[in-house]
């Protein structure tokens, strides 16, 4: 056990998860690579949980942070803040939500917490519809709407939560149906459910479930849900903490795969926009955002330094068409991984979109999750110089692949080759 690991265990909570039997200390990074304390170089296919969106040590972001820190680091939202206004203007326009207002937070958890506050205040209801297998954060309210027991340490909640079918296409009671039949069955279930509960405030849903193992419904499911919810006044909150900013390749936001009924009433964002700086937020129609009848501020949300980073990062993302790169390189990587998986009985499915890819592992010849295999592949990939993540609602048996969106074809091939060798080690 390293000295740092021993010190970590002595002062930090037992439930603070660490990857690897011998936990890794990352000391610096550049582009799509990071280095550990021993000087070993790794290709990073997880980006600090989908957060290093463009690249490690991106010069444009580093320069913006340094220059802003040299002027002023902090002021709070009690004062006008030019970088915050500039980033809010850009996000409001990009969101697709009409007459949008933006509130900045310091994390995705806090963003979802704020969206729940707005929805329940606007609708005068504390009942929330959430998806099974979902994850929305670590706060008391966010844990209360998380449909993944591995990440929900208590059933106590200020909200009444009802979980809806549909977030997982290849498991559950509707697996054998066609996509159209799957959507129809989930809509029928939702309509039946609404006949048994008081009118909820909102449905919150990740377009692609992140911690849940990069699972997703067929395109159009949430549009069909919206057709049921809108006449009843029930809001739709799209949790874009992991799917936003072009990561899925096909769309800038995950909700756009379900955009037939228009944009959501609210969307939440975080992670990638800061490229490692602490930025989260909520976008909502003005009438929803302005519904609170009490004062509020944010001490750290919208910090001048984080906003400078966000503006520089967003500019780089758009000017270099990283969404298009995610579509092109991600598509090649998915096909390469599917070709590998076709030869391995322990791989149940390779799924995903753009540079958001999941590899679900099972015990060969069964549908039973194999978390031990996932842990073994994680370790083997690390040994060969590749960092990946894991997740899934079925005992953490899904390998999660989400590199920075500037990933090159050569780097994608390098990572796939390492994963090929690591997966073949599964008994």
């Amino acid at each position: 056990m390293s000295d740092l690991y021993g010190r970590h265990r002595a002062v930090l909570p037992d439930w603070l998860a660490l990857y690897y039997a011998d936990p890794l200390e990352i000391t610096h990074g550049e582009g799509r690579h990071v280095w550990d304390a021993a000087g070993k170089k790794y290709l990073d296919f997880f980006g600090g949980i989908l957060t290093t969106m463009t690249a490690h040590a991106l010069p444009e972001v580093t320069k913006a942070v340094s220059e802003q820190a040299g002027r002023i680091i902090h002021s709070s939202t009690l004062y006008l803040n030019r970088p915050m206004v500039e980033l809010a203007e850009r996000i409001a326009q990009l969101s697709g939500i009409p007459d949008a207002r933006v509130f900045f937070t310091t994390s995705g958890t806090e963003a979802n917490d704020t969206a729940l506050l707005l929805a329940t205040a606007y609708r005068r209801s504390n009942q929330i519809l959430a998806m099974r297998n979902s994850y929305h954060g670590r706060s008391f309210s966010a844990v209360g709407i998380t449909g993944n027991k591995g990440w929900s340490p208590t059933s106590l909640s200020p909200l009444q939560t009802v979980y809806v079918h549909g977030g997982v296409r290849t498991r559950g009671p509707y697996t054998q149906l066609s996509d159209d039949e799957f959507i129809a069955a989930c809509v029928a279930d939702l309509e039946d459910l609404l006949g048994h509960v008081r009118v909820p405030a909102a449905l919150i849903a990740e377009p692609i479930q992140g911690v849940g193992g990069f699972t997703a419904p067929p395109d159009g499911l949430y549009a069909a849900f919206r057709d049921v919810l809108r006449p009843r006044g029930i809001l739709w909150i799209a949790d874009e903490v992991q799917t936003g900013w072009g990561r899925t390749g096909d769309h800038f936001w995950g909700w756009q795969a379900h955009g037939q009924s228009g944009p959501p009433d609210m969307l939440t964002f975080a992670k990638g926009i800061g490229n490692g700086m602490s930025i989260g937020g909520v976008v909502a129609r003005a009438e929803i955002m302005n519904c609170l009848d009490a004062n509020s501020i944010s001490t750290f949300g919208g910090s001048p330094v984080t906003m400078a980073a966000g503006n520089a990062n967003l500019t780089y993302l758009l000017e270099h068409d990283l969404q298009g790169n995610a579509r092109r390189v991600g598509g090649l990587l998915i096909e390469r991984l599917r070709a590998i998986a076709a030869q391995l009985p322990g791989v149940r499915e390779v799924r995903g979109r753009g540079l958001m890819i999941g590899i679900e592992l099972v015990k060969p010849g069964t549908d039973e999750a194999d978390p031990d295999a996932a842990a073994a592949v994680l370790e083997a990939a690390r040994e060969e110089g590749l960092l990946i993540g894991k997740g899934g609602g079925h005992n953490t048996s899904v390998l999660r692949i989400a590199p920075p969106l500037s990933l090159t074809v050569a780097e994608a091939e390098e990572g796939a080759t390492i994963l090929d060798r690591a997966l073949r080690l599964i008994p």
Side-chain angles (χ1 to χ4, degrees):
M1 181 171 69
S2 71
D3 177 58
L4 184 61
Y5 183 32
R7 290 163 60 192
H8 174 104
R9 293 190 62 184
V11 295
L12 296 172
D14 290 346
W15 42 260
L16 195 61
L18 285 168
Y19 274 169
Y20 308 115
D22 179 17
L24 180 66
E25 179 190 1
I26 294 174
T27 59
H28 62 286
E30 182 178 348
R32 276 71 54 195
H33 293 88
V34 295
W35 284 259
D36 68 15
K40 182 174 179 178
K41 181 180 179 181
Y42 300 89
L43 179 59
D44 185 3
F45 265 29
F46 202 38
I49 318 177
L50 294 83
T51 301
T52 304
M53 178 172 68
T54 48
H56 290 281
L58 187 72
E60 290 83 350
V61 173
T62 301
K63 179 182 178 184
V65 168
S66 177
E67 289 180 350
Q68 181 58 53
R71 290 191 292 270
I72 188 168
I73 291 175
H74 176 73
S75 62
S76 89
T77 56
L78 289 172
Y79 304 93
L80 286 173
N81 178 338
R82 189 174 299 274
M84 180 170 68
V85 172
E86 290 172 348
L87 187 56
E89 289 172 338
R90 300 175 76 184
I91 292 174
Q93 190 276 325
L94 288 166
S95 73
I97 295 175
D99 195 19
R101 299 293 187 273
V102 182
F103 177 75
F104 288 106
T105 68
T106 60
S107 70
T109 290
E110 190 188 349
N112 284 331
D113 192 72
T114 302
L116 294 169
L117 169 66
L118 292 169
T120 54
Y122 182 77
R123 294 277 296 144
R124 296 292 186 264
S125 168
N126 74 333
Q127 188 143 292
I128 297 293
L129 302 174
M131 304 305 295
R132 298 178 186 186
N133 195 52
S134 60
Y135 175 83
H136 297 288
R138 188 192 45 77
S139 70
F140 190 44
S141 68
V143 162
I145 59 164
T146 287
N148 183 326
K149 67 179 181 180
W151 292 92
S152 185
T154 177
S155 61
L156 300 174
S157 175
L159 304 167
Q160 293 184 351
T161 307
V162 181
Y163 293 102
V164 179
H165 280 299
V168 182
R169 177 67 183 91
T170 61
R171 285 187 181 271
Y174 305 144
T175 302
Q176 304 306 319
L177 302 178
S178 69
D179 283 354
D180 288 346
E181 292 169 337
F182 181 93
I183 291 173
C186 292
V187 168
D189 181 74
L190 175 63
E191 290 176 322
D192 180 70
L193 183 155
L194 292 174
H196 297 282
V197 298
R198 292 186 178 277
V199 178
L203 165 74
I204 185 168
E206 305 157 273
I208 298 176
Q209 295 181 330
V211 171
F214 293 167
T215 61
D219 287 358
L221 174 73
Y222 293 119
F225 277 5
R226 190 88 187 283
D227 290 340
V228 173
L229 301 175
R230 181 185 277 144
R232 296 169 168 85
I234 302 168
L235 303 176
W236 173 26
I237 305 169
D239 179 342
E240 299 275 357
V241 169
Q242 298 197 30
T243 48
W245 319 109
R247 176 163 289 281
T248 67
D250 292 338
H251 305 286
F252 194 77
W253 303 105
W255 71 258
Q256 290 170 316
H258 310 270
Q260 299 92 326
S261 296
D265 299 291
M266 285 188 269
L267 70 80
T268 59
F269 62 85
K271 291 193 182 290
I273 183 59
N275 206 44
M277 300 297 283
S278 298
I279 305 177
V282 182
V283 189
R285 299 198 319 269
E287 63 179 301
I288 299 172
M289 185 68 83
N290 295 333
C291 76
L292 303 182
D293 59 3
N295 294 325
S296 191
I297 62 167
S298 181
T299 303
F300 294 109
S303 151
V305 173
T306 62
M307 297 294 97
N311 272 303
N313 198 43
L314 183 57
T315 295
Y316 187 92
L317 173 90
L318 297 173
E319 288 184 351
H320 291 80
D321 187 23
L322 294 193
Q323 177 186 338
N325 192 65
R327 182 176 61 254
R328 292 185 296 273
V329 179
L332 292 171
L333 181 56
I334 288 172
E335 289 310 308
R336 176 81 162 85
L337 293 173
R338 284 178 175 160
I340 293 167
Q343 308 169 48
L344 301 171
V347 178
R348 180 176 185 268
E349 182 182 23
V350 175
R351 56 178 175 254
R353 223 170 190 151
L355 287 172
M356 194 172 186
I357 305 167
I359 304 174
E360 184 175 350
L361 305 182
V362 292
K363 295 178 181 177
T366 77
D367 231 14
E368 184 181 349
D370 195 343
D372 292 338
V377 173
L378 202 77
E379 295 280 0
R382 176 206 172 162
E383 286 300 311
E384 293 213 36
L386 178 70
L387 303 184
I388 58 175
K390 61 178 180 175
H394 297 272
N395 298 317
T396 319
S397 62
V398 179
L399 306 174
R400 297 172 69 200
I401 297 164
L405 303 190
S406 56
L407 187 76
T408 67
V409 172
E411 289 164 344
E413 177 59 31
E414 178 188 352
T417 299
I418 294 173
L419 279 168
D420 188 358
R421 291 195 292 266
L423 286 164
R424 290 183 189 279
L425 297 176
I426 300 173

